[in-house]
Amino acid sequence: MSLRHALLGLLTGHPASGYDLLKLFETSLANVWPATQSQIYTELTKLADTGLVIVTAEGPRGRKEYTLTDAGRTELLRWLTEPKQSKPARSDMLLRVFFLGLMTPDQASGYLTALAAKAAADHDEYREIEKAIDWADGNLSIHGRLALEFGLRYASMRREWAEWSIQQIADRELRSP
Amino acid sequence: MSLRHALLGLLTGHPASGYDLLKLFETSLANVWPATQSQIYTELTKLADTGLVIVTAEGPRGRKEYTLTDAGRTELLRWLTEPKQSKPARSDMLLRVFFLGLMTPDQASGYLTALAAKAAADHDEYREIEKAIDWADGNLSIHGRLALEFGLRYASMRREWAEWSIQQIADRELRSP
DNA sequence: GTAAACATGTAACAGGTTACATGATTGT
DNA sequence: ACAATCATGTAACCTGTTACATGTTTAC
């Protein structure tokens, strides 16, 4: 149940409305914890019900501004320092790799080529984000940068692995045609 | 809905019971597509209802052996060659990294140290698996090896990134104590 | 005036987790 | 005889997705 903690985290410092948070999810958190509009509004209501946030202002168009409570901050810190290893994520990409042998070598290489291209595109995208961010801002962005660096390294790794895999398949084809 | 395809994939070649498949998930697919007993039995029933598999034998203790049908094989191939890019996975690890600034530098370093240790342990585990597998077997293991190599590279990347991140935090501490 | 952006809420459904429930067979 | 393993099934619950539904304010 981490959507809850993502919301609490985004509310540290500055109060925000559901709409504000939706925009924050679309930009800063899109690659880390995607969430839909529906989910965000529902969760904010629950968060307010349990007292982890409160509505501190109402604006035009029914806008409700939420502020983190002490209980909310405590819960966020508890979650952050909780010693809990996350179980391995499902990856339909790797699941397909597992069954690559059911395709023709051409199809398999095509799949891996697409993965390499996607990894390269992701890498470029993260480079753009890196350039666009005002790194002087300091406050939240210090650790956002660590996450970005993870993305960059992960994208590179994926590209290299996909290219290596294509080579493996090609080598095997040469040996047993 | 990829659990379905994981099951179909495991049924290519050799028929198997729900119990057999459960064991296969626990071993070969645990790091790629974890599934529970409950889920597997439920999905197999649905798969049989829609004709993608059929019960071809019944053994002791109510054992039912499922075999892939032509329709099942077709569906599996359709899924494998489907041009669909998977959306970025949720990562509560990276979500915590995003909010690392809410902890003390010591706590933050502690978290990253634990990540580095986990990555190193994963790497070791994959090395063991690599040693344990009979790579002469050829049949399914060719592509299982690609998945394993992904795991090895990913674990290395995570370790290196975590260590780099710890250094970043330490550097920052020195400049603004 | 009207399109874009702001702003929220709910219902139906799909997939996954945990727990409960039951019983047969094999090996020691 | 007893424990371990084999073997299946179901119910309650939580999270997330898609779609529908509604209305306001701002900028051109």
Side-chain angles (χ1 to χ4, degrees):
Chain A
M1 206 204 333
S2 292
L3 170 64
R4 146 164 316 198
H5 301 108
L7 287 167
L8 294 173
L10 290 175
L11 284 173
T12 54
H14 37 76
S17 67
Y19 193 81
D20 294 339
L21 292 164
L22 174 60
K23 295 298 152 184
L24 281 172
F25 269 88
E26 281 170 5
T27 53
S28 55
L29 245 45
N31 297 298
V32 165
W33 203 273
T36 61
Q37 173 265 336
S38 166
Q39 239 183 315
I40 292 171
Y41 283 106
T42 307
E43 190 62 36
L44 277 172
T45 305
K46 283 192 216 158
L47 245 20
D49 286 349
T50 52
L52 300 182
V53 303
I54 41 165
V55 177
T56 45
E58 307 212 13
R61 284 165 294 207
R63 182 177 206 272
K64 284 186 275 183
E65 204 166 64
Y66 294 93
T67 300
L68 195 61
T69 64
D70 283 345
R73 189 172 294 268
T74 302
E75 167 56 18
L76 178 59
L77 263 296
R78 189 203 57 72
W79 172 76
L80 274 171
T81 54
E82 170 188 59
K84 192 217 71 181
Q85 76 278 36
S86 46
K87 60 180 61 176
R90 289 177 174 81
S91 164
D92 65 298
M93 181 233 115
L94 283 182
L95 189 56
R96 282 186 175 87
V97 169
F98 235 86
F99 300 130
L100 229 44
L102 302 172
M103 300 194 231
T104 65
D106 269 7
Q107 286 178 316
S109 289
Y111 178 62
L112 291 166
T113 303
L115 288 183
K118 179 62 162 54
D122 284 354
H123 195 276
D124 287 351
E125 187 194 323
Y126 296 147
R127 274 267 175 271
E128 289 307 312
I129 294 175
E130 192 178 32
K131 277 193 279 181
I133 290 181
D134 176 15
W135 293 111
D137 173 324
N139 213 9
L140 291 176
S141 57
I142 306 165
H143 300 94
R145 172 149 224 180
L146 299 184
L148 185 59
E149 177 71 17
F150 185 97
L152 284 164
R153 289 178 185 229
Y154 185 39
S156 295
M157 185 233 106
R158 273 150 52 216
R159 213 202 73 238
E160 288 159 18
W161 168 83
E163 286 167 357
W164 175 86
S165 294
I166 291 167
Q167 195 55 51
Q168 294 291 306
I169 290 177
D171 288 354
R172 177 157 293 269
E173 271 305 281
L174 284 182
R175 281 203 298 280
S176 61
Chain B
M1 207 206 329
S2 291
L3 169 64
R4 146 165 316 200
H5 302 108
L7 288 167
L8 294 174
L10 290 176
L11 284 173
T12 54
H14 36 75
S17 69
Y19 193 80
D20 293 339
L21 292 164
L22 174 61
K23 294 300 153 184
L24 280 172
F25 268 88
E26 281 170 4
T27 53
S28 55
L29 245 43
N31 296 298
V32 164
W33 203 273
T36 61
Q37 173 264 333
S38 167
Q39 240 183 315
I40 291 171
Y41 283 107
T42 308
E43 190 61 37
L44 278 172
T45 304
K46 283 192 217 161
L47 245 20
D49 286 349
T50 51
L52 299 182
V53 302
I54 42 166
V55 177
T56 44
E58 306 212 13
R61 283 166 296 210
R63 183 177 205 269
K64 283 187 274 185
E65 204 167 63
Y66 294 93
T67 301
L68 195 61
T69 63
D70 283 345
R73 189 172 293 267
T74 302
E75 167 57 19
L76 178 59
L77 264 296
R78 189 203 58 72
W79 172 77
L80 275 171
T81 54
E82 171 187 61
K84 193 217 73 184
Q85 76 277 35
S86 45
K87 58 180 65 175
R90 289 179 174 80
S91 164
D92 65 296
M93 181 232 117
L94 283 180
L95 189 58
R96 282 186 174 89
V97 169
F98 235 87
F99 300 130
L100 229 45
L102 302 171
M103 301 194 231
T104 66
D106 269 8
Q107 286 177 315
S109 289
Y111 177 62
L112 291 166
T113 302
L115 288 183
K118 179 62 163 53
D122 284 353
H123 194 277
D124 288 351
E125 189 195 322
Y126 296 148
R127 274 266 175 271
E128 289 307 314
I129 293 174
E130 192 179 33
K131 275 193 278 183
I133 291 183
D134 175 15
W135 293 112
D137 173 325
N139 213 7
L140 291 175
S141 57
I142 306 166
H143 300 94
R145 173 150 225 181
L146 298 183
L148 186 58
E149 176 71 18
F150 185 97
L152 283 164
R153 288 176 184 229
Y154 185 39
S156 295
M157 186 232 105
R158 273 151 53 216
R159 212 202 74 238
E160 286 159 19
W161 167 83
E163 286 167 357
W164 174 86
S165 295
I166 291 166
Q167 196 56 51
Q168 293 291 305
I169 290 177
D171 288 354
R172 178 157 293 266
E173 271 304 281
L174 283 181
R175 281 201 299 278
S176 61

